[in-house]
Amino acid sequence: MTTTFAGNHAPSTDYDPFAPEALADPFHYDGELREFSSVAYLEKYDVYAITRQEQLHQVGRDRKTFSNKSRPFADPNSAYKPALLQLQDPPEHTQVKKLALELFSKANLEYLEAAFNDEAERRISELMSNGEVEIEAVSSLATPFISTVFLDAVGAPREGRELLKYYADAALNSSAPKNEHFHKKMEIGAPALEWVEKNMKRETAGQRGWGRDVYTMVDEGRLSEEDGEQLIKMIFTAGFDTTVASISNSVKAFADNPHQWALLKSDPSIIDNAFDEVLRLYPPVRYTGRMATRDVEVDGHLIREGGLVMTMWLSGGRDPRFWDRPDEFDITRKNANGHMTFGVGIHSCLGQHIARMEAKAVIGALLRHVDTMRPTGVSEIADNMQGFAHTTVPVVLTPAT
């Protein structure tokens, strides 16, 4: 990585966050960028990278200076990521978000929490019914659990659900440079995109779950038919890969740190903080972005009006200026909830309560049925440009007595 400095302009670097070695070990390479500067200009892509936690909070909270209407590599015509909400600022964003939040009413959340807990209990008790078991947590636990509870909540048909992991993977890679990796992911995701576009329509999505609620809003004249379809597509896009990753990353973190699992078993009341610590250590989204609406200084570095900004959540989650012992997994960490996984301010994640309930349902069932867990091999990191996940998390679970 070569670097140059010019006055108060952000230091420049030839670092490529999408190079194969960076995708294989983003903690190392994004970490090097963080230690180079809090704000860095990436020459290859003509974008600024915000790498440290304090500055990430600054950018995330200042929606007037850092707009959501554009961001690095964003395509407003993307088949995978609708512009609805994701590339909007108030007042349009406020109007649509208000309607979307109705899907997560208190009554809906109570119903879904019970459904999530029941399904997690059923799966984990069945998994542990014959004693100690060796599993691969992504394919044997996280993916089938989310494929059931999340897609039931959406109101999706059961046939074809196995395709959604390819759609979600393509969707995360769609907010990245259009390189060879991008085109490969789009090709793999094409059949899944066809399935999603069929099942976001009124004829299928409008029969049950959130889909029915969305099309009720359409019938009431509060949402156009097109925006209704795009809202359902956005839910498909946002609610699968990241929650699968959060659950499997939780298993990995506890398997790698058995003393932390023992601590959580001794005091399940800290489960919320424990999950925040998982999200800090292994954020399922590596970066997102904004656009500067005026010339602005961040930590003394100038970002020009119109500059596109990558907000590097993964590097921020390991920033030693903000976190004590940042590479350690500590479920008693006082500021664990300072991570950026769900965003901040008006652009925070709509479905974060759902994601938390899903993960807590699985972790809670594991607490009841599993005494210890340990890794049985190396967890493979997924080759995803915007997301962070593991494709495999091999572990052994021993039953609670």
Side-chain angles (χ1 to χ4, degrees):
M1 182 170 75
T2 59
T3 59
T4 56
F5 292 83
N8 68 337
H9 287 266
S12 180
T13 174
D14 64 355
Y15 172 58
D16 183 357
F18 308 105
E21 62 271 19
L23 297 185
D25 191 359
F27 291 108
H28 173 75
Y29 288 98
D30 288 1
E32 282 191 340
L33 183 68
R34 179 191 63 237
E35 297 312 305
F36 164 59
S37 181
S38 58
V39 183
Y41 176 72
L42 304 185
E43 298 167 356
K44 183 172 182 177
Y45 300 109
D46 187 25
V47 303
Y48 299 89
I50 310 296
T51 66
R52 297 177 186 168
Q53 195 70 1
E54 182 180 345
Q55 288 72 43
L56 286 167
H57 279 283
Q58 175 189 340
V59 169
R61 291 189 175 114
D62 188 355
R63 66 174 179 82
K64 292 184 178 179
T65 302
F66 295 98
S67 171
N68 202 47
K69 288 188 174 181
S70 188
R71 61 183 67 176
F73 319 114
D75 178 0
N77 300 311
S78 170
Y80 288 91
K81 287 194 172 179
L84 191 77
L85 285 179
Q86 298 192 71
L87 294 177
Q88 288 181 327
D89 278 331
E92 297 85 1
H93 179 275
T94 306
Q95 294 164 357
V96 177
K97 186 169 184 176
K98 183 179 179 181
L99 293 175
L101 284 172
E102 291 184 22
L103 304 178
F104 311 122
S105 66
K106 182 180 179 181
N108 276 354
L109 290 178
E110 289 175 350
Y111 170 80
L112 290 170
E113 184 174 30
F116 297 166
N117 288 336
D118 288 348
E119 180 64 15
E121 177 65 21
R122 184 190 71 78
R123 284 186 178 274
I124 302 301
S125 61
E126 184 178 299
L127 192 66
M128 302 305 299
S129 60
N130 294 316
E132 183 175 282
V133 61
E134 183 173 348
I135 67 166
E136 193 287 289
V138 180
S139 60
S140 297
L141 178 56
T143 298
F145 174 74
I146 294 299
S147 294
T148 299
V149 299
F150 169 65
L151 291 176
D152 281 354
V154 176
R158 293 191 174 273
E159 184 179 356
R161 288 186 177 190
E162 69 281 357
L163 292 169
L164 198 62
K165 64 180 180 180
Y166 303 108
Y167 173 83
D169 186 52
L172 277 172
N173 280 284
S174 70
S175 292
K178 291 180 170 57
N179 54 22
E180 182 179 349
H181 193 79
F182 170 93
H183 291 294
K184 182 184 77 172
K185 292 292 187 177
M186 297 308 105
E187 182 179 356
I188 294 171
L193 174 61
E194 183 179 349
W195 184 87
V196 167
E197 292 190 331
K198 174 184 177 183
N199 289 295
M200 70 185 192
K201 300 288 186 182
R202 175 188 294 271
E203 293 74 21
T204 48
Q207 305 306 307
R208 61 190 75 82
W210 289 325
R212 180 179 56 202
D213 294 343
V214 167
Y215 282 106
T216 297
M217 295 175 192
V218 172
D219 291 339
E220 292 170 349
R222 297 190 292 154
L223 198 64
S224 71
E225 188 87 12
E226 180 182 1
D227 282 353
E229 292 176 359
Q230 295 306 304
L231 180 55
I232 293 169
K233 180 185 267 192
M234 188 200 70
I235 294 170
F236 276 128
T237 299
F240 189 86
D241 237 26
T242 51
T243 44
V244 168
S246 297
I247 290 169
S248 52
N249 289 342
S250 297
V251 173
K252 174 175 169 54
F254 282 114
D256 288 344
N257 299 275
H259 57 294
Q260 294 293 304
W261 181 245
L263 179 59
L264 185 59
K265 283 186 70 69
S266 70
D267 184 9
S269 70
I270 61 173
I271 190 171
D272 289 296
N273 203 70
F275 184 55
D276 276 319
E277 177 68 350
V278 172
L279 296 175
R280 179 200 69 82
L281 192 73
Y282 294 129
V285 176
R286 183 185 177 200
Y287 68 87
T288 181
R290 294 288 184 268
M291 179 188 72
T293 61
R294 60 177 176 85
D295 287 359
V296 59
E297 281 196 2
V298 175
D299 197 26
H301 301 299
L302 179 65
I303 297 175
R304 290 292 188 186
E305 179 181 351
L308 298 178
V309 176
M310 290 178 71
T311 49
M312 308 292 284
W313 291 354
L314 182 139
S315 70
R318 304 278 184 114
D319 182 1
R321 297 154 194 81
F322 193 89
W323 317 95
D324 182 37
R325 300 168 290 107
D327 295 323
E328 293 183 22
F329 180 60
D330 178 5
I331 64 173
T332 65
R333 189 180 298 276
K334 299 300 182 185
N335 61 344
N337 65 357
H339 62 80
M340 296 290 290
T341 292
F342 295 124
V344 66
I346 67 164
H347 295 300
S348 59
C349 174
L350 271 174
Q352 61 180 285
H353 298 300
I354 301 297
R356 289 183 182 278
M357 288 194 309
E358 289 167 331
K360 286 170 61 179
V362 172
I363 296 170
L366 288 169
L367 286 170
R368 291 188 293 274
H369 294 282
V370 173
D371 184 35
T372 64
M373 57 178 83
R374 66 181 188 275
T376 58
V378 176
S379 296
E380 299 290 335
I381 293 177
D383 59 343
N384 193 296
M385 291 190 282
Q386 187 186 16
F388 176 80
H390 294 92
T391 55
T392 59
V393 178
V395 294
V396 164
L397 309 177
T398 61
T401 54

